[in-house]
Amino acid sequence: MLKRGEDIIKVRVITENEGKAKEFIELGRAFGISVEIIRAPKIEIQSEDLREIAMYSAVNALTYVKDRVIVEDAGLFIDALNGFPGPYSSYVYRKLGVKGILKIMDGVSNRKACFKSVIAYAAPAGSVKIFEGVVYGRIALNAKGREGFGFDPIFIPEGESRTFAEMSVWEKNKYSHRARAFKKLAEWLRTAFKASDTHT
Amino acid sequence: MLKRGEDIIKVRVITENEGKAKEFIELGRAFGISVEIIRAPKIEIQSEDLREIAMYSAVNALTYVKDRVIVEDAGLFIDALNGFPGPYSSYVYRKLGVKGILKIMDGVSNRKACFKSVIAYAAPAGSVKIFEGVVYGRIALNAKGREGFGFDPIFIPEGESRTFAEMSVWEKNKYSHRARAFKKLAEWLRTAFKASDTHT
């Protein structure tokens, strides 16, 4: 964690998702990074690869933020559905909801799934870096819980019996894909900023 | 149709979808437009609006084709699913197939749906134009036919009892969203090229 007297490293996160914003602020606290949320839309390309989507969005955001910025793209990948809904999770959530996924998964015995998060960091000096986090688990038989957002009510991480939506932000951050990606970002930022006093 | 001696108007169509390529070539013949297929990937943004996706792709394609170019984006919009799969139809087709949609639609009595097509035309002189076509119909109870591509086996256009996949390219082009958009493009091109001898 951050030592007293050390400069606070600040990053701007572009997101319009209040659930994500809440998690990022909490993650910033946990890892000693000052997180500023910029509630702006981001341009996202269509791709089955979260890394491509996130990198493209980050570089695009850099052109108007003009300072170091991160964007995150995440998705729920269900084994039995060839990775669906994947990068289109938020769209599928808006259209079909958790009920739609439970209907598609009705009678499907292989419930394996994972949440993936990709954080793309872009800085004016020209660096773009990717940090990935994954949490494995399974699709619940029924939706449970009211915390979190998106498909949290139907995802049970490995080693747990509760869904993400049955956990507080703090608890979810112990397991979550987003927390794992953010931890890597925080460690890299700390090393990078120690190596350079110019802070760019 | 084209009169003898008149200049052939040529457009390049960017697509990697062989089914679309076949339809565009046939449409070019029907409307007297010379269609050249460029089998290249196109950059597509994420949006619920086909027009935004197509315009963005066309302008992007223009930067490397350097000549007038069209891209098309299409989707199947199912009423009971709030328009799903919409702009993500090809992704959803690859992941869930027609069986997946039939499973989501199991027991749903409102089977209304439409196919929408948006053709975006971009020219170096700086014009971008949008042409839209829609065909209304319903989701079949079972998949039928082997023609066409994508969700054609489960879409029955209004006034028909057969799915798009039970029709030849020529027959489908009598009804299809893509044919309706292309017809508008062809009419506009003919007027625009008549008005200008510079052909830009």
Side-chain angles (χ1 to χ4, degrees):
Chain A
M1 301 293 135
L2 200 68
K3 292 185 196 106
R4 197 176 290 272
E6 206 173 316
D7 275 351
I8 300 265
I9 300 162
K10 184 174 172 178
V11 285
R12 288 171 180 80
V13 180
I14 313 275
T15 187
E16 287 191 302
N17 177 327
E18 283 308 315
K20 272 193 194 182
K22 210 169 150 186
E23 290 183 22
F24 273 117
I25 288 163
E26 188 66 32
L27 287 167
R29 276 194 205 112
F31 293 104
I33 304 288
S34 165
V35 169
E36 183 193 332
I37 305 292
I38 300 181
R39 287 171 176 81
K42 46 187 172 130
I43 290 193
E44 293 182 299
I45 57 163
Q46 294 187 31
S47 168
E48 292 194 28
D49 188 336
L50 291 177
R51 292 172 299 188
E52 285 181 9
I53 299 170
M55 277 196 289
Y56 195 97
S57 291
V59 171
N60 184 271
L62 186 63
T63 64
Y64 61 88
V65 174
K66 308 282 186 199
D67 200 352
R68 50 181 184 273
V69 65
I70 67 171
V71 300
E72 189 243 15
D73 204 40
L76 174 65
F77 294 76
I78 301 175
D79 277 23
L81 306 180
N82 310 308
F84 180 87
Y88 304 114
S89 293
S90 69
Y91 171 78
V92 172
Y93 175 75
R94 287 195 303 280
K95 294 299 177 183
L96 304 183
V98 294
K99 280 187 187 168
I101 293 293
L102 288 177
K103 187 169 180 185
I104 304 172
M105 289 297 287
D106 185 39
V108 176
S109 56
N110 174 11
R111 318 277 310 171
K112 278 186 203 161
C114 66
F115 263 121
K116 289 184 195 172
S117 163
V118 172
I119 292 177
Y121 166 94
S127 58
V128 178
K129 286 275 292 176
I130 286 292
F131 304 92
E132 299 183 64
V134 183
V135 53
Y136 294 95
R138 63 183 196 276
I139 301 300
L141 293 168
N142 302 295
K144 275 184 191 164
R146 293 174 167 278
E147 302 293 323
F149 64 95
F151 292 118
D152 282 354
I154 55 169
F155 183 82
I156 302 170
E158 264 179 8
E160 260 289 339
S161 57
R162 294 171 305 160
T163 68
F164 267 166
E166 294 180 284
M167 302 179 190
S168 66
V169 175
W170 185 83
E171 279 180 297
K172 181 180 168 186
N173 281 347
K174 283 198 296 180
Y175 298 96
S176 93
H177 51 310
R178 190 163 295 113
R180 285 170 183 170
F182 193 89
K183 184 170 185 271
K184 289 179 188 169
L185 166 76
E187 283 164 0
W188 179 81
L189 280 173
R190 206 168 306 291
T191 313
F193 278 64
K194 200 173 274 173
S196 148
D197 283 332
T198 60
H199 286 205
T200 51
Chain B
M1 301 292 137
L2 199 68
K3 292 183 196 107
R4 198 175 291 268
E6 204 174 319
D7 274 351
I8 299 266
I9 300 163
K10 183 175 172 178
V11 286
R12 288 170 181 80
V13 180
I14 312 277
T15 187
E16 289 191 301
N17 177 327
E18 283 307 315
K20 274 194 192 182
K22 209 169 151 185
E23 289 183 22
F24 273 117
I25 289 164
E26 188 67 31
L27 286 166
R29 276 194 204 112
F31 292 104
I33 303 287
S34 164
V35 169
E36 183 193 332
I37 305 292
I38 300 182
R39 289 170 176 82
K42 45 185 174 135
I43 289 192
E44 293 182 300
I45 57 162
Q46 295 187 31
S47 167
E48 291 195 28
D49 188 336
L50 291 177
R51 292 172 300 190
E52 285 181 10
I53 299 170
M55 276 195 290
Y56 195 99
S57 290
V59 171
N60 183 270
L62 185 62
T63 64
Y64 61 88
V65 174
K66 308 281 185 198
D67 202 351
R68 52 180 183 273
V69 65
I70 68 172
V71 301
E72 190 242 15
D73 204 39
L76 174 65
F77 294 75
I78 302 176
D79 278 22
L81 306 180
N82 309 307
F84 180 88
Y88 303 114
S89 293
S90 69
Y91 170 78
V92 172
Y93 175 75
R94 286 195 304 279
K95 295 299 178 181
L96 305 182
V98 295
K99 280 188 186 168
I101 294 293
L102 288 177
K103 187 170 179 184
I104 304 173
M105 291 296 287
D106 185 39
V108 176
S109 56
N110 174 11
R111 318 275 312 170
K112 277 185 203 160
C114 67
F115 263 121
K116 289 184 195 171
S117 163
V118 172
I119 291 177
Y121 167 92
S127 60
V128 177
K129 286 275 292 175
I130 286 291
F131 304 92
E132 299 183 65
V134 183
V135 54
Y136 294 95
R138 63 184 197 275
I139 301 299
L141 293 168
N142 302 296
K144 274 183 191 165
R146 295 175 166 277
E147 301 294 323
F149 63 95
F151 292 119
D152 283 353
I154 55 170
F155 184 82
I156 302 171
E158 263 178 8
E160 260 290 338
S161 56
R162 294 171 304 159
T163 69
F164 267 167
E166 294 180 284
M167 302 178 189
S168 66
V169 175
W170 185 83
E171 279 181 297
K172 181 181 168 186
N173 281 347
K174 282 198 295 180
Y175 298 97
S176 93
H177 51 309
R178 189 164 294 114
R180 285 169 184 172
F182 193 90
K183 183 169 186 273
K184 290 179 188 170
L185 166 77
E187 283 163 0
W188 179 81
L189 279 173
R190 206 168 306 291
T191 312
F193 277 65
K194 201 172 274 172
S196 147
D197 284 329
T198 61
H199 286 206
T200 52

